[in-house]
């Protein structure tokens, strides 16, 4: 029996379930790539490294988008105090998006990329071949159609209901997500110009509008689990997102250092990128402050742990590790090294994977009719999953950071003629890649524990 305040919130369930299925796929392809780094081809040429990487990164983006959509469908009706405008549209869009996503991933795996481009008539409107935006043009059009239907559904729900700061910040972030994705359709022939506008999608998503989505979801969960006055949490939310947008938008400049852009980007990018950790640090203070001031002891301990973990890991991954290589005179040596990979892994996990798992942890017991929280034993298993995944990600980040520092030392710092070649340097980094792979296995074990927690029933908990 559902324990939802509004029955239309249940449409979030397929989004959450499918997001977690794709998450498993992302991690499996990550482990495959980790082995390919040190062993070479281990699947008889069936999945080349470039294809595995494409699937790994695309699954990351798509499962997070499913998570965001599920979160919105769950929290918007409750915030607006009205049923979702059209649950049927939400379910239809789920199947359209899921079908397009699965077909695209199968296309990557089953035919050569150039053949996929030919089959999907990429020559009519060339948009393929760029990192994170490898999807065929027809898939990109499908994503836009799904986004428009999604925003219409949410917008109509908010229009007829209560307007809260959380709903408005969330909707602003989701509109920004859709708008900045439109730059994926612009593919100029000049490579520097192409990369310049490519960052309008990639950077302004992850260091711009996605932070609004994360902030809104975190604020919603904190209100529910702490009982702190909405006005207090909303004031913190406004401060955090204002800081995030100011530093994030101008911080785009740290991607413009080496694109033949005007020299002032060296200063603008460095200064505002150096300020980018501040909103994440404010988020840590905000989350812990709200939990310490809580007026109720919420039974969902796991959701509280995920909420606090999100703030801390987002600060470390996006804030601290972002700062490590964001100043132009440092980035000159570290650009595109394993230090970048270290930052990317912890930032995506800390800021976005964890916030999706936060809302899933809070919402799924209610959607499934269990109550406000899973049984205690299930929460213990889930928290084991939290710690295994989080500690593993810390080690993955540290090992990649070590690899990146050694890479810069051997390949980029020495004078010309003394520096090692790229491949010779990679051979020296093998120990770090093996350690990263081991940490990745423990991460997978943590993810399995997290998923297993959903299957611990009340009877098992009492046994």
């Amino acid at each position: 029996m559902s324990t939802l305040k509004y029955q239309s919130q249940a449409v979030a369930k397929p989004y959450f379930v499918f997001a977690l299925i794709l998450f498993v796929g992302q991690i499996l392809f990550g482990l495959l790539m980790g082995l390919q780094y040190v062993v070479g081809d281990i699947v008889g040429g069936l999945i080349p490294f470039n294809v595995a990487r494409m699937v790994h990164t695309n699954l990351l983006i798509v499962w997070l988008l499913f998570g965001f959509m599920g979160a919105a469908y769950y929290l918007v009706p409750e915030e607006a105090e009205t049923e979702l405008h059209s649950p049927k549209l939400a379910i239809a869009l789920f199947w359209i998006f899921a079908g397009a996503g699965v077909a695209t991933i199968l296309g990557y795996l089953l035919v050569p990329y150039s053949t996929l481009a030919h089959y999907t008539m990429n020559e009519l409107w060339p948009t393929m071949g760029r990192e994170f935006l490898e999807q065929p043009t027809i898939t990109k059009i499908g994503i836009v159609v799904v986004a428009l239907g999604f925003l219409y559904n949410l917008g109509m729900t908010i229009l007829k209901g209560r307007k809260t700061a959380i709903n408005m910040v969330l909707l602003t972030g989701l509109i920004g997500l859709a708008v900045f994705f439109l730059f994926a359709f612009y593919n100029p022939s000049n490579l520097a110009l192409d990369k310049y506008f490519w960052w309008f999608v990639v950077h302004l998503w992850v260091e711009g509008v996605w932070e609004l989505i994360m902030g809104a979801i975190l604020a919603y969960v904190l209100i529910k689990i702490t009982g702190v006055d909405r006005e207090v949490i909303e004031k913190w939310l406004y401060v955090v997102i204002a800081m995030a947008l100011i530093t994030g938008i101008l911080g785009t400049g740290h991607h413009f250092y080496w694109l033949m852009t005007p020299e002032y980007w060296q200063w603008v990018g460095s200064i505002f990128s150096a300020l980018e950790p501040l909103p994440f640090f404010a988020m840590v203070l905000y989350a812990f402050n709200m939990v310490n001031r809580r007026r109720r002891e919420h039974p969902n301990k796991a959701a509280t742990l995920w909420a606090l973990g999100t703030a801390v890991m987002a600060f470390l991954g996006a804030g601290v590790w972002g700062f490590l290589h964001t100043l132009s005179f440092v980035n000159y040596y570290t650009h595109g090294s394993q230090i970048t990979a270290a930052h990317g892994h912890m930032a995506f996990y800390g800021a976005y994977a964890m916030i999706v798992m936060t809302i899933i942890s809070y919402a799924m017991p209610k959607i499934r009719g269990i109550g406000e929280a899973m049984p205690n034993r299930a929460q213990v298993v889930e928290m084991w999953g939290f710690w295994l995944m989080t500690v593993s990600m810390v080690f993955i980040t540290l090992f990649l950071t070590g690899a990146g520092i050694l890479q810069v030392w051997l390949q980029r710092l020495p004078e010309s003629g003394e520096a090692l070649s790229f491949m010779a340097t990679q051979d020296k980094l093998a120990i770090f890649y093996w350690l990263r792979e081991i940490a990745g296995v423990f991460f997978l074990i943590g993810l399995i524990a997290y998923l297993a927690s959903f299957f611990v029933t009340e009877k098992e908990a009492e046994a």
Side-chain angles (χ1 to χ4, degrees):
M1 179 181 172
S2 174
T3 56
L4 296 171
K5 189 172 182 182
Y6 299 94
Q7 293 309 304
S8 56
Q9 290 176 284
V11 301
K13 185 176 181 179
Y15 285 89
F16 289 153
V17 171
F18 195 63
L20 293 175
I21 292 170
L22 296 180
F23 187 18
V24 173
Q26 183 213 345
I27 301 309
L28 292 176
F29 275 93
L31 289 172
L32 171 63
M33 290 163 56
L35 279 177
Q36 287 177 324
Y37 249 87
V38 286
V39 178
D41 181 26
I42 59 171
V43 287
L46 292 175
I47 307 178
F49 179 83
N50 66 305
V51 174
R53 186 180 189 278
M54 194 158 53
V55 174
H56 178 65
T57 55
N58 277 231
L59 284 175
L60 165 68
I61 293 166
V62 174
W63 90 257
L64 290 176
L65 291 179
F66 270 99
F68 291 162
M69 293 172 78
Y73 282 135
Y74 183 84
L75 72 85
V76 164
E78 199 165 316
E79 285 290 296
E81 296 183 335
T82 183
E83 294 285 359
L84 186 67
H85 175 69
S86 176
K88 289 181 179 178
L89 176 60
I91 295 298
L93 292 175
F94 167 79
W95 287 111
I96 293 169
F97 194 16
V102 170
T104 300
I105 297 299
L106 289 176
Y108 293 158
L109 293 170
L110 297 178
V111 298
Y113 191 64
S114 58
T115 305
L116 180 64
H118 175 69
Y119 285 166
T120 57
M121 296 180 287
N122 183 64
E123 66 275 5
L124 297 179
W125 192 348
T127 67
M128 295 174 69
R130 292 170 294 164
E131 187 181 7
F132 300 119
L133 303 178
E134 297 94 346
Q135 310 84 25
T137 303
I138 191 167
T139 302
K140 290 188 177 79
I141 293 171
I143 291 170
V144 170
V145 170
V146 168
L148 288 174
F150 170 60
L151 291 172
Y152 164 77
N153 211 355
L154 292 185
M156 294 301 290
T157 305
I158 293 171
L159 277 175
K160 69 178 181 179
R162 183 177 63 154
K163 284 76 175 171
T164 67
I166 289 173
N167 264 352
M168 300 315 293
V169 169
L170 178 66
L171 187 62
T172 302
L174 292 168
I175 291 172
L177 186 157
V179 168
F180 287 117
F181 182 71
L182 296 177
F183 284 99
F185 291 93
Y186 180 53
N187 189 10
S189 57
N190 181 285
L191 184 60
L193 194 61
D194 169 43
K195 296 302 286 185
Y196 183 90
F197 285 103
W198 179 81
W199 285 114
F200 279 39
V201 182
V202 178
H203 174 94
L204 291 174
W205 265 18
V206 299
E207 296 178 58
V209 293
W210 281 26
E211 292 182 13
L212 273 65
I213 299 168
M214 174 180 65
I217 297 171
L218 184 62
Y220 170 82
V221 172
L222 287 174
I223 286 175
K224 298 300 179 183
I225 63 178
T226 65
V228 173
D229 286 345
R230 173 180 292 273
E231 291 76 12
V232 175
I233 289 179
E234 287 180 346
K235 285 175 185 176
W236 272 95
L237 176 61
Y238 282 132
V239 170
V240 168
I241 65 163
M243 293 170 68
L245 284 179
I246 293 168
T247 60
I249 291 172
L250 289 171
T252 313
H254 64 234
H255 299 296
F256 298 163
Y257 294 156
W258 324 121
L259 288 180
M260 300 177 68
T261 49
E263 191 176 342
Y264 58 76
W265 281 116
Q266 305 277 332
W267 289 97
V268 173
S270 294
I271 291 169
F272 284 94
S273 296
L275 297 174
E276 281 193 68
L278 294 180
F280 289 101
F281 182 65
M283 196 175 294
V284 174
L285 297 179
Y286 151 56
F288 278 86
N289 192 9
M290 295 306 106
V291 171
N292 286 335
R293 294 171 59 177
R294 62 183 178 271
R295 294 181 175 180
R296 60 175 300 202
E297 205 63 45
H298 198 280
N300 197 333
K301 308 294 185 188
T304 306
L305 181 63
W306 279 110
L308 294 175
T310 297
V312 173
M313 291 297 286
F315 170 63
L316 291 175
V320 176
W321 256 263
F323 176 74
L324 287 179
H325 63 139
T326 199
L327 301 176
S328 62
F329 53 85
V330 175
N331 193 262
Y332 179 79
Y333 295 100
T334 63
H335 187 76
S337 69
Q338 293 296 329
I339 294 173
T340 307
H343 161 58
H345 278 78
M346 189 185 272
F348 263 110
Y349 173 72
Y352 302 120
M354 290 183 79
I355 195 62
V356 170
M357 286 186 278
T358 300
I359 188 66
I360 290 175
S361 180
Y362 174 77
M364 281 300 266
K366 292 180 173 239
I367 292 173
R368 296 170 66 195
I370 295 170
E372 288 210 341
M374 294 291 285
N376 283 335
R377 184 178 167 190
Q379 290 195 59
V380 169
V381 175
E382 182 179 349
M383 288 190 277
W384 266 102
F386 168 91
W387 285 111
L388 277 168
M389 283 192 282
T390 303
V391 173
S392 297
M393 184 53 69
V394 169
F395 277 103
I396 288 170
T397 303
L398 291 173
F399 294 143
L400 287 173
T401 303
I405 292 169
L406 185 57
Q407 180 183 8
V408 171
W409 179 262
L410 296 175
Q411 183 188 335
R412 301 185 177 184
L413 283 178
E415 294 295 326
S416 180
E418 297 176 10
L420 293 183
S421 68
F422 176 81
M423 291 308 296
T425 302
Q426 294 302 306
D427 288 339
K428 303 286 188 183
L429 306 181
I431 181 63
F432 290 105
Y433 296 148
W434 276 115
L435 292 170
R436 184 263 303 268
E437 184 73 1
I438 293 168
V441 171
F442 278 98
F443 187 96
L444 177 62
I445 294 170
L447 178 55
I448 292 170
Y450 174 74
L451 297 174
S453 70
F454 292 105
F455 299 96
V456 177
T457 63
E458 194 70 50
K459 288 181 181 179
E460 289 173 334
E462 294 170 353

